[in-house]
PDB file of all heavy atoms in Angstrom:
ATOM      1  N   GLU A   1      88.519  87.089  91.896  1.00  0.00           N
ATOM      2  CA  GLU A   1      89.916  86.625  91.911  1.00  0.00           C
ATOM      3  C   GLU A   1      90.841  87.731  91.673  1.00  0.00           C
ATOM      4  O   GLU A   1      91.943  87.878  92.255  1.00  0.00           O
ATOM      5  CB  GLU A   1      90.151  85.612  90.782  1.00  0.00           C
ATOM      6  CG  GLU A   1      89.394  84.320  90.850  1.00  0.00           C
ATOM      7  CD  GLU A   1      89.939  83.370  92.005  1.00  0.00           C
ATOM      8  OE1 GLU A   1      90.800  83.822  92.736  1.00  0.00           O
ATOM      9  OE2 GLU A   1      89.426  82.293  91.970  1.00  0.00           O
ATOM     10  N   LEU A   2      90.442  88.787  90.868  1.00  0.00           N
ATOM     11  CA  LEU A   2      91.385  90.006  90.678  1.00  0.00           C
ATOM     12  C   LEU A   2      91.414  90.814  91.976  1.00  0.00           C
ATOM     13  O   LEU A   2      92.593  91.177  92.358  1.00  0.00           O
ATOM     14  CB  LEU A   2      90.727  90.921  89.600  1.00  0.00           C
ATOM     15  CG  LEU A   2      91.549  92.081  89.138  1.00  0.00           C
ATOM     16  CD1 LEU A   2      92.871  91.628  88.572  1.00  0.00           C
ATOM     17  CD2 LEU A   2      90.809  92.795  88.086  1.00  0.00           C
ATOM     18  N   ALA A   3      90.343  90.964  92.723  1.00  0.00           N
ATOM     19  CA  ALA A   3      90.323  91.675  93.962  1.00  0.00           C
ATOM     20  C   ALA A   3      91.239  90.880  94.995  1.00  0.00           C
ATOM     21  O   ALA A   3      92.036  91.501  95.777  1.00  0.00           O
ATOM     22  CB  ALA A   3      88.977  91.786  94.579  1.00  0.00           C
ATOM     23  N   ASP A   4      91.067  89.604  95.096  1.00  0.00           N
ATOM     24  CA  ASP A   4      91.930  88.823  95.896  1.00  0.00           C
ATOM     25  C   ASP A   4      93.365  88.912  95.575  1.00  0.00           C
ATOM     26  O   ASP A   4      94.133  89.171  96.493  1.00  0.00           O
ATOM     27  CB  ASP A   4      91.430  87.275  95.728  1.00  0.00           C
ATOM     28  CG  ASP A   4      92.193  86.410  96.702  1.00  0.00           C
ATOM     29  OD1 ASP A   4      93.334  86.032  96.525  1.00  0.00           O
ATOM     30  OD2 ASP A   4      91.501  85.878  97.657  1.00  0.00           O
ATOM     31  N   SER A   5      93.716  88.847  94.355  1.00  0.00           N
ATOM     32  CA  SER A   5      95.089  88.982  93.974  1.00  0.00           C
ATOM     33  C   SER A   5      95.664  90.405  94.218  1.00  0.00           C
ATOM     34  O   SER A   5      96.875  90.561  94.592  1.00  0.00           O
ATOM     35  CB  SER A   5      95.304  88.597  92.491  1.00  0.00           C
ATOM     36  OG  SER A   5      94.989  87.205  92.356  1.00  0.00           O
ATOM     37  N   MET A   6      94.871  91.333  93.977  1.00  0.00           N
ATOM     38  CA  MET A   6      95.280  92.819  94.081  1.00  0.00           C
ATOM     39  C   MET A   6      95.519  93.148  95.566  1.00  0.00           C
ATOM     40  O   MET A   6      96.330  94.060  95.845  1.00  0.00           O
ATOM     41  CB  MET A   6      94.235  93.778  93.528  1.00  0.00           C
ATOM     42  CG  MET A   6      94.195  93.710  92.037  1.00  0.00           C
ATOM     43  SD  MET A   6      92.932  94.823  91.359  1.00  0.00           S
ATOM     44  CE  MET A   6      93.575  96.383  91.781  1.00  0.00           C
ATOM     45  N   ILE A   7      94.933  92.461  96.481  1.00  0.00           N
ATOM     46  CA  ILE A   7      95.214  92.688  97.905  1.00  0.00           C
ATOM     47  C   ILE A   7      96.345  91.767  98.361  1.00  0.00           C
ATOM     48  O   ILE A   7      97.325  92.248  99.062  1.00  0.00           O
ATOM     49  CB  ILE A   7      93.905  92.402  98.715  1.00  0.00           C
ATOM     50  CG1 ILE A   7      92.790  93.405  98.354  1.00  0.00           C
ATOM     51  CG2 ILE A   7      94.231  92.506 100.247  1.00  0.00           C
ATOM     52  CD1 ILE A   7      91.455  93.057  99.000  1.00  0.00           C
ATOM     53  N   PHE A   8      96.273  90.537  98.142  1.00  0.00           N
ATOM     54  CA  PHE A   8      97.305  89.571  98.712  1.00  0.00           C
ATOM     55  C   PHE A   8      98.650  89.737  98.159  1.00  0.00           C
ATOM     56  O   PHE A   8      99.623  89.957  98.885  1.00  0.00           O
ATOM     57  CB  PHE A   8      96.778  88.104  98.562  1.00  0.00           C
ATOM     58  CG  PHE A   8      97.744  87.058  99.092  1.00  0.00           C
ATOM     59  CD1 PHE A   8      97.738  86.845 100.436  1.00  0.00           C
ATOM     60  CD2 PHE A   8      98.599  86.438  98.280  1.00  0.00           C
ATOM     61  CE1 PHE A   8      98.650  85.982 100.947  1.00  0.00           C
ATOM     62  CE2 PHE A   8      99.531  85.422  98.798  1.00  0.00           C
ATOM     63  CZ  PHE A   8      99.545  85.281 100.142  1.00  0.00           C
ATOM     64  N   ILE A   9      98.821  89.709  96.856  1.00  0.00           N
ATOM     65  CA  ILE A   9     100.193  89.670  96.240  1.00  0.00           C
ATOM     66  C   ILE A   9     100.979  90.919  96.540  1.00  0.00           C
ATOM     67  O   ILE A   9     102.117  90.868  96.877  1.00  0.00           O
ATOM     68  CB  ILE A   9     100.083  89.425  94.746  1.00  0.00           C
ATOM     69  CG1 ILE A   9      99.543  87.933  94.541  1.00  0.00           C
ATOM     70  CG2 ILE A   9     101.366  89.505  94.062  1.00  0.00           C
ATOM     71  CD1 ILE A   9      99.246  87.486  93.167  1.00  0.00           C
ATOM     72  N   PRO A  10     100.405  92.171  96.350  1.00  0.00           N
ATOM     73  CA  PRO A  10     101.166  93.339  96.582  1.00  0.00           C
ATOM     74  C   PRO A  10     101.615  93.509  98.094  1.00  0.00           C
ATOM     75  O   PRO A  10     102.765  93.844  98.269  1.00  0.00           O
ATOM     76  CB  PRO A  10     100.218  94.515  96.296  1.00  0.00           C
ATOM     77  CG  PRO A  10      99.326  93.959  95.223  1.00  0.00           C
ATOM     78  CD  PRO A  10      99.033  92.519  95.710  1.00  0.00           C
ATOM     79  N   ILE A  11     100.751  92.964  99.017  1.00  0.00           N
ATOM     80  CA  ILE A  11     101.083  93.142 100.368  1.00  0.00           C
ATOM     81  C   ILE A  11     102.239  92.205 100.716  1.00  0.00           C
ATOM     82  O   ILE A  11     103.205  92.471 101.500  1.00  0.00           O
ATOM     83  CB  ILE A  11      99.953  92.791 101.265  1.00  0.00           C
ATOM     84  CG1 ILE A  11      98.853  93.907 101.201  1.00  0.00           C
ATOM     85  CG2 ILE A  11     100.382  92.620 102.711  1.00  0.00           C
ATOM     86  CD1 ILE A  11      97.556  93.565 102.004  1.00  0.00           C
ATOM     87  N   VAL A  12     102.256  90.999 100.172  1.00  0.00           N
ATOM     88  CA  VAL A  12     103.210  89.921 100.554  1.00  0.00           C
ATOM     89  C   VAL A  12     104.461  90.064  99.695  1.00  0.00           C
ATOM     90  O   VAL A  12     105.639  89.796 100.218  1.00  0.00           O
ATOM     91  CB  VAL A  12     102.564  88.558 100.441  1.00  0.00           C
ATOM     92  CG1 VAL A  12     103.608  87.481 100.706  1.00  0.00           C
ATOM     93  CG2 VAL A  12     101.362  88.393 101.371  1.00  0.00           C
ATOM     94  N   PHE A  13     104.374  90.432  98.374  1.00  0.00           N
ATOM     95  CA  PHE A  13     105.477  90.307  97.485  1.00  0.00           C
ATOM     96  C   PHE A  13     105.950  91.715  96.910  1.00  0.00           C
ATOM     97  O   PHE A  13     106.693  91.654  95.933  1.00  0.00           O
ATOM     98  CB  PHE A  13     105.093  89.380  96.305  1.00  0.00           C
ATOM     99  CG  PHE A  13     104.831  88.013  96.652  1.00  0.00           C
ATOM    100  CD1 PHE A  13     103.484  87.492  96.803  1.00  0.00           C
ATOM    101  CD2 PHE A  13     105.853  87.081  96.963  1.00  0.00           C
ATOM    102  CE1 PHE A  13     103.304  86.180  97.151  1.00  0.00           C
ATOM    103  CE2 PHE A  13     105.595  85.790  97.451  1.00  0.00           C
ATOM    104  CZ  PHE A  13     104.278  85.311  97.455  1.00  0.00           C
ATOM    105  N   TRP A  14     105.518  92.748  97.576  1.00  0.00           N
ATOM    106  CA  TRP A  14     105.939  94.086  97.026  1.00  0.00           C
ATOM    107  C   TRP A  14     107.423  94.278  96.902  1.00  0.00           C
ATOM    108  O   TRP A  14     107.866  94.917  95.986  1.00  0.00           O
ATOM    109  CB  TRP A  14     105.262  95.193  97.871  1.00  0.00           C
ATOM    110  CG  TRP A  14     105.489  96.567  97.316  1.00  0.00           C
ATOM    111  CD1 TRP A  14     106.442  97.525  97.692  1.00  0.00           C
ATOM    112  CD2 TRP A  14     104.822  97.101  96.257  1.00  0.00           C
ATOM    113  NE1 TRP A  14     106.303  98.612  96.949  1.00  0.00           N
ATOM    114  CE2 TRP A  14     105.329  98.427  96.003  1.00  0.00           C
ATOM    115  CE3 TRP A  14     103.806  96.680  95.420  1.00  0.00           C
ATOM    116  CZ2 TRP A  14     104.877  99.219  94.971  1.00  0.00           C
ATOM    117  CZ3 TRP A  14     103.331  97.524  94.380  1.00  0.00           C
ATOM    118  CH2 TRP A  14     103.858  98.746  94.213  1.00  0.00           C
ATOM    119  N   ALA A  15     108.186  93.685  97.913  1.00  0.00           N
ATOM    120  CA  ALA A  15     109.592  93.842  97.989  1.00  0.00           C
ATOM    121  C   ALA A  15     110.285  93.226  96.718  1.00  0.00           C
ATOM    122  O   ALA A  15     111.470  93.484  96.437  1.00  0.00           O
ATOM    123  CB  ALA A  15     110.139  93.293  99.295  1.00  0.00           C
ATOM    124  N   SER A  16     109.492  92.285  96.018  1.00  0.00           N
ATOM    125  CA  SER A  16     110.015  91.583  94.848  1.00  0.00           C
ATOM    126  C   SER A  16     110.125  92.452  93.678  1.00  0.00           C
ATOM    127  O   SER A  16     110.714  91.981  92.626  1.00  0.00           O
ATOM    128  CB  SER A  16     109.317  90.321  94.617  1.00  0.00           C
ATOM    129  OG  SER A  16     109.335  89.459  95.735  1.00  0.00           O
ATOM    130  N   GLY A  17     109.439  93.624  93.657  1.00  0.00           N
ATOM    131  CA  GLY A  17     109.434  94.482  92.500  1.00  0.00           C
ATOM    132  C   GLY A  17     108.051  94.431  91.767  1.00  0.00           C
ATOM    133  O   GLY A  17     107.340  93.411  91.837  1.00  0.00           O
ATOM    134  N   ILE A  18     107.765  95.655  91.153  1.00  0.00           N
ATOM    135  CA  ILE A  18     106.416  95.726  90.517  1.00  0.00           C
ATOM    136  C   ILE A  18     106.237  94.768  89.413  1.00  0.00           C
ATOM    137  O   ILE A  18     105.097  94.272  89.173  1.00  0.00           O
ATOM    138  CB  ILE A  18     106.306  97.212  89.938  1.00  0.00           C
ATOM    139  CG1 ILE A  18     104.834  97.484  89.502  1.00  0.00           C
ATOM    140  CG2 ILE A  18     107.322  97.539  88.957  1.00  0.00           C
ATOM    141  CD1 ILE A  18     103.839  97.351  90.458  1.00  0.00           C
ATOM    142  N   LYS A  19     107.272  94.453  88.667  1.00  0.00           N
ATOM    143  CA  LYS A  19     107.210  93.515  87.510  1.00  0.00           C
ATOM    144  C   LYS A  19     106.797  92.116  88.036  1.00  0.00           C
ATOM    145  O   LYS A  19     105.896  91.415  87.447  1.00  0.00           O
ATOM    146  CB  LYS A  19     108.463  93.372  86.722  1.00  0.00           C
ATOM    147  CG  LYS A  19     108.374  92.526  85.579  1.00  0.00           C
ATOM    148  CD  LYS A  19     109.725  92.524  84.740  1.00  0.00           C
ATOM    149  CE  LYS A  19     109.607  91.513  83.578  1.00  0.00           C
ATOM    150  NZ  LYS A  19     110.854  91.491  82.812  1.00  0.00           N
ATOM    151  N   THR A  20     107.387  91.683  89.059  1.00  0.00           N
ATOM    152  CA  THR A  20     107.098  90.356  89.689  1.00  0.00           C
ATOM    153  C   THR A  20     105.742  90.320  90.198  1.00  0.00           C
ATOM    154  O   THR A  20     104.978  89.364  90.045  1.00  0.00           O
ATOM    155  CB  THR A  20     108.097  90.062  90.786  1.00  0.00           C
ATOM    156  OG1 THR A  20     109.474  90.026  90.277  1.00  0.00           O
ATOM    157  CG2 THR A  20     107.762  88.631  91.469  1.00  0.00           C
ATOM    158  N   VAL A  21     105.328  91.437  90.922  1.00  0.00           N
ATOM    159  CA  VAL A  21     103.989  91.462  91.447  1.00  0.00           C
ATOM    160  C   VAL A  21     102.909  91.405  90.361  1.00  0.00           C
ATOM    161  O   VAL A  21     101.915  90.584  90.460  1.00  0.00           O
ATOM    162  CB  VAL A  21     103.799  92.811  92.225  1.00  0.00           C
ATOM    163  CG1 VAL A  21     102.316  93.010  92.546  1.00  0.00           C
ATOM    164  CG2 VAL A  21     104.587  92.708  93.561  1.00  0.00           C
ATOM    165  N   LEU A  22     103.046  92.173  89.275  1.00  0.00           N
ATOM    166  CA  LEU A  22     102.116  92.190  88.174  1.00  0.00           C
ATOM    167  C   LEU A  22     102.044  90.856  87.426  1.00  0.00           C
ATOM    168  O   LEU A  22     101.011  90.234  87.062  1.00  0.00           O
ATOM    169  CB  LEU A  22     102.427  93.295  87.121  1.00  0.00           C
ATOM    170  CG  LEU A  22     102.197  94.663  87.651  1.00  0.00           C
ATOM    171  CD1 LEU A  22     102.741  95.745  86.631  1.00  0.00           C
ATOM    172  CD2 LEU A  22     100.779  94.967  88.023  1.00  0.00           C
ATOM    173  N   THR A  23     103.203  90.215  87.295  1.00  0.00           N
ATOM    174  CA  THR A  23     103.240  88.883  86.605  1.00  0.00           C
ATOM    175  C   THR A  23     102.528  87.848  87.535  1.00  0.00           C
ATOM    176  O   THR A  23     101.735  87.002  86.985  1.00  0.00           O
ATOM    177  CB  THR A  23     104.716  88.478  86.471  1.00  0.00           C
ATOM    178  OG1 THR A  23     105.406  89.353  85.633  1.00  0.00           O
ATOM    179  CG2 THR A  23     104.789  87.063  85.756  1.00  0.00           C
ATOM    180  N   MET A  24     102.788  87.795  88.794  1.00  0.00           N
ATOM    181  CA  MET A  24     102.136  86.903  89.637  1.00  0.00           C
ATOM    182  C   MET A  24     100.562  87.071  89.716  1.00  0.00           C
ATOM    183  O   MET A  24      99.916  86.190  89.652  1.00  0.00           O
ATOM    184  CB  MET A  24     102.734  86.936  91.077  1.00  0.00           C
ATOM    185  CG  MET A  24     104.187  86.537  91.233  1.00  0.00           C
ATOM    186  SD  MET A  24     104.718  86.568  92.952  1.00  0.00           S
ATOM    187  CE  MET A  24     103.755  85.262  93.735  1.00  0.00           C
ATOM    188  N   MET A  25     100.207  88.347  89.698  1.00  0.00           N
ATOM    189  CA  MET A  25      98.747  88.651  89.702  1.00  0.00           C
ATOM    190  C   MET A  25      98.181  88.127  88.422  1.00  0.00           C
ATOM    191  O   MET A  25      97.094  87.474  88.384  1.00  0.00           O
ATOM    192  CB  MET A  25      98.520  90.126  89.862  1.00  0.00           C
ATOM    193  CG  MET A  25      98.755  90.762  91.211  1.00  0.00           C
ATOM    194  SD  MET A  25      98.657  92.541  91.240  1.00  0.00           S
ATOM    195  CE  MET A  25      97.050  92.810  90.629  1.00  0.00           C
ATOM    196  N   ALA A  26      98.728  88.452  87.260  1.00  0.00           N
ATOM    197  CA  ALA A  26      98.127  88.014  85.944  1.00  0.00           C
ATOM    198  C   ALA A  26      98.133  86.447  85.947  1.00  0.00           C
ATOM    199  O   ALA A  26      97.120  85.920  85.435  1.00  0.00           O
ATOM    200  CB  ALA A  26      99.090  88.487  84.841  1.00  0.00           C
ATOM    201  N   CYS A  27      99.210  85.869  86.453  1.00  0.00           N
ATOM    202  CA  CYS A  27      99.306  84.354  86.382  1.00  0.00           C
ATOM    203  C   CYS A  27      98.190  83.714  87.118  1.00  0.00           C
ATOM    204  O   CYS A  27      97.528  82.823  86.787  1.00  0.00           O
ATOM    205  CB  CYS A  27     100.680  83.995  86.836  1.00  0.00           C
ATOM    206  SG  CYS A  27     100.880  82.163  86.805  1.00  0.00           S
ATOM    207  N   GLN A  28      98.014  84.153  88.394  1.00  0.00           N
ATOM    208  CA  GLN A  28      97.053  83.578  89.326  1.00  0.00           C
ATOM    209  C   GLN A  28      95.672  83.791  88.898  1.00  0.00           C
ATOM    210  O   GLN A  28      94.850  82.884  88.896  1.00  0.00           O
ATOM    211  CB  GLN A  28      97.257  84.151  90.735  1.00  0.00           C
ATOM    212  CG  GLN A  28      98.508  83.676  91.419  1.00  0.00           C
ATOM    213  CD  GLN A  28      98.422  83.593  92.967  1.00  0.00           C
ATOM    214  OE1 GLN A  28      97.358  83.124  93.439  1.00  0.00           O
ATOM    215  NE2 GLN A  28      99.433  84.080  93.636  1.00  0.00           N
ATOM    216  N   VAL A  29      95.336  84.977  88.427  1.00  0.00           N
ATOM    217  CA  VAL A  29      93.932  85.224  87.951  1.00  0.00           C
ATOM    218  C   VAL A  29      93.652  84.390  86.788  1.00  0.00           C
ATOM    219  O   VAL A  29      92.621  83.748  86.659  1.00  0.00           O
ATOM    220  CB  VAL A  29      93.747  86.723  87.621  1.00  0.00           C
ATOM    221  CG1 VAL A  29      92.427  87.011  86.955  1.00  0.00           C
ATOM    222  CG2 VAL A  29      93.828  87.618  88.924  1.00  0.00           C
ATOM    223  N   THR A  30      94.646  84.351  85.811  1.00  0.00           N
ATOM    224  CA  THR A  30      94.379  83.526  84.598  1.00  0.00           C
ATOM    225  C   THR A  30      94.161  82.062  84.815  1.00  0.00           C
ATOM    226  O   THR A  30      93.231  81.411  84.360  1.00  0.00           O
ATOM    227  CB  THR A  30      95.687  83.757  83.625  1.00  0.00           C
ATOM    228  OG1 THR A  30      95.796  85.066  83.263  1.00  0.00           O
ATOM    229  CG2 THR A  30      95.450  82.915  82.331  1.00  0.00           C
ATOM    230  N   VAL A  31      95.074  81.507  85.637  1.00  0.00           N
ATOM    231  CA  VAL A  31      94.942  80.155  86.035  1.00  0.00           C
ATOM    232  C   VAL A  31      93.679  79.731  86.768  1.00  0.00           C
ATOM    233  O   VAL A  31      93.046  78.783  86.425  1.00  0.00           O
ATOM    234  CB  VAL A  31      96.149  79.624  86.836  1.00  0.00           C
ATOM    235  CG1 VAL A  31      96.039  78.213  87.335  1.00  0.00           C
ATOM    236  CG2 VAL A  31      97.370  79.738  85.972  1.00  0.00           C
ATOM    237  N   LYS A  32      93.296  80.649  87.768  1.00  0.00           N
ATOM    238  CA  LYS A  32      92.096  80.351  88.476  1.00  0.00           C
ATOM    239  C   LYS A  32      90.849  80.428  87.645  1.00  0.00           C
ATOM    240  O   LYS A  32      89.874  79.671  87.797  1.00  0.00           O
ATOM    241  CB  LYS A  32      92.011  81.256  89.707  1.00  0.00           C
ATOM    242  CG  LYS A  32      93.090  80.966  90.791  1.00  0.00           C
ATOM    243  CD  LYS A  32      93.003  82.015  91.927  1.00  0.00           C
ATOM    244  CE  LYS A  32      94.080  81.704  92.975  1.00  0.00           C
ATOM    245  NZ  LYS A  32      94.094  82.712  94.068  1.00  0.00           N
ATOM    246  N   VAL A  33      90.808  81.409  86.730  1.00  0.00           N
ATOM    247  CA  VAL A  33      89.648  81.593  85.849  1.00  0.00           C
ATOM    248  C   VAL A  33      89.522  80.471  84.922  1.00  0.00           C
ATOM    249  O   VAL A  33      88.445  79.997  84.600  1.00  0.00           O
ATOM    250  CB  VAL A  33      89.644  82.923  85.207  1.00  0.00           C
ATOM    251  CG1 VAL A  33      88.605  83.066  84.183  1.00  0.00           C
ATOM    252  CG2 VAL A  33      89.410  84.085  86.164  1.00  0.00           C
ATOM    253  N   LEU A  34      90.718  80.059  84.304  1.00  0.00           N
ATOM    254  CA  LEU A  34      90.702  78.890  83.469  1.00  0.00           C
ATOM    255  C   LEU A  34      90.237  77.623  84.084  1.00  0.00           C
ATOM    256  O   LEU A  34      89.499  76.834  83.579  1.00  0.00           O
ATOM    257  CB  LEU A  34      92.109  78.662  82.853  1.00  0.00           C
ATOM    258  CG  LEU A  34      92.608  79.649  81.814  1.00  0.00           C
ATOM    259  CD1 LEU A  34      94.075  79.390  81.433  1.00  0.00           C
ATOM    260  CD2 LEU A  34      91.706  79.463  80.535  1.00  0.00           C
ATOM    261  N   TYR A  35      90.620  77.501  85.409  1.00  0.00           N
ATOM    262  CA  TYR A  35      90.150  76.373  86.251  1.00  0.00           C
ATOM    263  C   TYR A  35      88.659  76.360  86.245  1.00  0.00           C
ATOM    264  O   TYR A  35      87.984  75.339  86.067  1.00  0.00           O
ATOM    265  CB  TYR A  35      90.753  76.577  87.589  1.00  0.00           C
ATOM    266  CG  TYR A  35      90.536  75.518  88.600  1.00  0.00           C
ATOM    267  CD1 TYR A  35      91.608  74.825  89.136  1.00  0.00           C
ATOM    268  CD2 TYR A  35      89.284  75.139  89.124  1.00  0.00           C
ATOM    269  CE1 TYR A  35      91.467  73.744  90.080  1.00  0.00           C
ATOM    270  CE2 TYR A  35      89.073  74.146  90.085  1.00  0.00           C
ATOM    271  CZ  TYR A  35      90.197  73.511  90.544  1.00  0.00           C
ATOM    272  OH  TYR A  35      90.037  72.493  91.523  1.00  0.00           O
ATOM    273  N   GLU A  36      88.059  77.559  86.534  1.00  0.00           N
ATOM    274  CA  GLU A  36      86.556  77.609  86.671  1.00  0.00           C
ATOM    275  C   GLU A  36      85.908  77.408  85.314  1.00  0.00           C
ATOM    276  O   GLU A  36      84.771  76.879  85.212  1.00  0.00           O
ATOM    277  CB  GLU A  36      86.189  78.916  87.267  1.00  0.00           C
ATOM    278  CG  GLU A  36      86.785  79.018  88.723  1.00  0.00           C
ATOM    279  CD  GLU A  36      86.070  80.094  89.559  1.00  0.00           C
ATOM    280  OE1 GLU A  36      84.882  80.237  89.450  1.00  0.00           O
ATOM    281  OE2 GLU A  36      86.849  80.760  90.365  1.00  0.00           O
ATOM    282  N   LEU A  37      86.579  77.857  84.174  1.00  0.00           N
ATOM    283  CA  LEU A  37      86.060  77.686  82.898  1.00  0.00           C
ATOM    284  C   LEU A  37      85.898  76.151  82.553  1.00  0.00           C
ATOM    285  O   LEU A  37      84.865  75.719  81.974  1.00  0.00           O
ATOM    286  CB  LEU A  37      86.819  78.370  81.818  1.00  0.00           C
ATOM    287  CG  LEU A  37      86.465  79.824  81.514  1.00  0.00           C
ATOM    288  CD1 LEU A  37      87.605  80.397  80.636  1.00  0.00           C
ATOM    289  CD2 LEU A  37      85.110  79.903  80.832  1.00  0.00           C
ATOM    290  N   ILE A  38      86.915  75.533  82.883  1.00  0.00           N
ATOM    291  CA  ILE A  38      87.005  74.042  82.635  1.00  0.00           C
ATOM    292  C   ILE A  38      85.858  73.270  83.314  1.00  0.00           C
ATOM    293  O   ILE A  38      85.254  72.359  82.795  1.00  0.00           O
ATOM    294  CB  ILE A  38      88.418  73.448  82.942  1.00  0.00           C
ATOM    295  CG1 ILE A  38      89.425  74.031  82.009  1.00  0.00           C
ATOM    296  CG2 ILE A  38      88.464  71.968  82.933  1.00  0.00           C
ATOM    297  CD1 ILE A  38      90.900  73.725  82.311  1.00  0.00           C
TER     298      ILE A  38
END
């Protein structure tokens, strides 16, 4: 999931700024991993 997010989000959302990119990456990885934990 980290590899997926590190490729997709920066390519698509780089113009939104580094803070937004990092927040979106952290959010998606966290939610997806929690999903799989459950």
